[in-house]
Amino acid sequence: MRPCGAAVERLPELPEVETTRRGIERALVGRRVQELHIYDARLRWPIAHDLPRQLAGQRILAVGRRAKYLLLQFERGTLIMHLGMSGSLRVLPARTPAGKHDQFDLVLEDGALLRLNDPRRFGSIHYTSEAPEQHKLLRHLAPEPFADDFNADYLWRITRGRRAAIKQVLMNGRLVTGVGNIYASEALFRARVNPRRAASRLTRAECAKLVRAIRAVLTLAIRAGGTTLRDYVGTDGNPGYFRRRLYVYERAGRACRVCGAPVRRITQGQRSTYLCSQCQH
Ligand SMILES: [Zn+2]
C-alpha cells in the first residue's frame, strides 16, 4: 500500500489533471474504441448503462481539459471525465487483469486500454453529443488560470469590495477554477502577498503579480510531472517531483527558502495555509 495523507489534501488538482491529459493523449488520439468494459458503474453518478454502445467503434479525435474535467472528443460526442478525490487513469496493455477499485476499461483497437481506478468513487463520467462547454457541469465554470479571460483586470475586478481573505477568493470555484490549496499558498508566497489580506486591499500591481505567480507555479507543477501529492501517481506510474520545489506548502517550522524565518501554518476555511510572515505582506 502507498501511504495515505489527509484526504482533503490529496485531491488531484489542475496540474495533476493536465499531467494525466498529456500522459493519455498520445495513446488515445486517432485510436478507435473496441469496447467499454465497466467493472463497477458506481461513481459520483452511476455510469450510463448505454455508454458502451455509444462509444463502441468511435475514433478518439482529441483529449482536452476544462478546469479539472478531461474531455475525450469522439466523432459523435464528448466524454466528460472528472477524477474526483482519488481517481487515476492509466494506459495499459490489453488484457491486464483488473484489480480492486478499477471502474472501467476503455479498450482500444490497437490493443491498449485506458483504465479508471477510483477507490473513493467521487469521480464522474458523462457523454454528450452537444458542445461540451454547454454541458451542465461545464457551463458555469469560472475562468481558469491559463485562459485569456483570467488576467490582472479580472482579478482586480473580482476582488473589489470583497472582504474575504485573498486565499479564500483564489479557492472560490465560482470566481476562479483550478487553483487548489497547494498552489494558492505557493502563488501567494511568490507574489509576496499575505494570504490573510482582505482581497479588496490588493493593489492593481499585486493582482498582476498574483496572476503571474499562479500561472508560474501551475506551469512548473505541470512541467515537473504534475504532482506533489503523497499517493497520486501519474499516468506512467511515477510520483511527481514538484514537492521538492515548494517554498511554503507543508514546510511549517522549516526555514523560509528566501529569508530564513520559520514558515508558518494557519487555518483558513478549514484548510491549511502556509506562509512566511517576513516575506508576505
Ligand atoms: Zn521568508
Side-chain angles (χ1 to χ4, degrees):
M1 282 289 284
R2 295 191 300 267
C4 289
V8 290
E9 301 287 15
R10 60 193 178 89
L11 304 173
E13 294 194 12
L14 189 145
E16 288 74 43
V17 179
E18 177 60 20
T19 299
T20 297
R21 189 194 71 75
R22 293 177 185 189
I24 64 176
E25 183 178 37
R26 205 179 321 158
L28 265 52
V29 172
R31 306 297 195 283
R32 206 174 277 283
V33 174
Q34 194 171 70
E35 61 166 335
L36 177 71
H37 191 90
I38 299 172
Y39 299 106
D40 185 349
R42 293 172 302 165
L43 285 173
R44 184 165 177 193
W45 298 283
I47 301 175
H49 64 274
D50 65 341
L51 192 57
R53 190 179 52 78
Q54 299 263 27
L55 297 183
Q58 286 209 64
R59 195 184 295 278
I60 302 166
L61 303 179
V63 180
R65 181 183 60 74
R66 172 71 175 98
K68 294 202 286 185
Y69 291 93
L70 289 165
L71 308 177
L72 271 58
Q73 192 197 329
F74 290 86
E75 292 162 304
R76 297 190 296 276
T78 306
L79 205 56
I80 302 172
M81 299 182 58
H82 197 288
L83 298 176
M85 301 183 76
S86 58
S88 61
L89 286 166
R90 303 278 191 88
V91 176
L92 298 165
R95 287 184 292 280
T96 304
K100 210 176 167 190
H101 307 308
D102 286 338
Q103 308 295 131
F104 67 74
D105 290 344
L106 188 69
V107 184
L108 307 175
E109 271 184 356
D110 69 349
L113 59 84
L114 178 72
R115 175 168 292 170
L116 174 71
N117 178 279
D118 190 356
R120 302 189 65 191
R121 300 200 304 258
F122 279 103
S124 68
I125 177 166
H126 290 84
Y127 180 76
T128 177
S129 50
E130 312 287 315
E133 61 273 16
Q134 294 306 319
H135 191 272
K136 62 177 192 276
L137 292 172
L138 307 186
R139 206 162 42 207
H140 300 296
L141 288 176
E144 63 176 282
F146 294 112
D148 292 341
D149 53 359
F150 181 79
N151 51 39
D153 284 335
Y154 177 76
L155 191 59
W156 169 256
R157 213 166 55 238
I158 63 167
T159 50
R160 291 315 90 188
R162 252 173 228 281
R163 283 148 76 183
I166 181 61
K167 163 96 179 324
Q168 298 301 98
V169 170
L170 296 181
M171 299 282 293
N172 182 339
R174 280 173 305 213
L175 299 173
V176 187
T177 66
V179 184
N181 200 37
I182 300 170
Y183 305 105
S185 277
E186 289 295 306
L188 285 161
F189 178 83
R190 283 164 179 263
R192 301 293 186 263
V193 172
N194 191 306
R196 287 177 297 197
R197 283 260 299 282
S200 59
R201 302 295 296 272
L202 261 70
T203 66
R204 180 71 174 62
E206 284 172 328
C207 288
K209 224 166 148 184
L210 193 49
V211 165
R212 283 199 299 274
I214 289 166
R215 286 184 175 158
V217 77
L218 290 171
T219 301
L220 277 174
I222 292 165
R223 208 176 286 155
T227 191
T228 65
L229 307 179
R230 295 177 189 86
D231 67 348
Y232 177 85
V233 178
T235 45
D236 59 356
N238 292 318
Y241 294 99
F242 183 64
R243 174 167 289 274
R244 289 181 201 154
R245 306 176 63 174
L246 297 172
Y247 279 99
V248 286
Y249 187 80
E250 289 199 336
R251 297 192 70 247
R254 295 170 67 190
C256 169
R257 296 191 202 275
V258 173
C259 76
V263 171
R264 296 179 53 207
R265 186 184 80 88
I266 59 171
T267 303
Q268 290 181 293
Q270 290 151 7
R271 307 292 301 272
S272 295
T273 298
Y274 299 85
L275 71 149
C276 173
S277 312
Q278 297 291 320
C279 291
Q280 293 169 264
H281 303 287

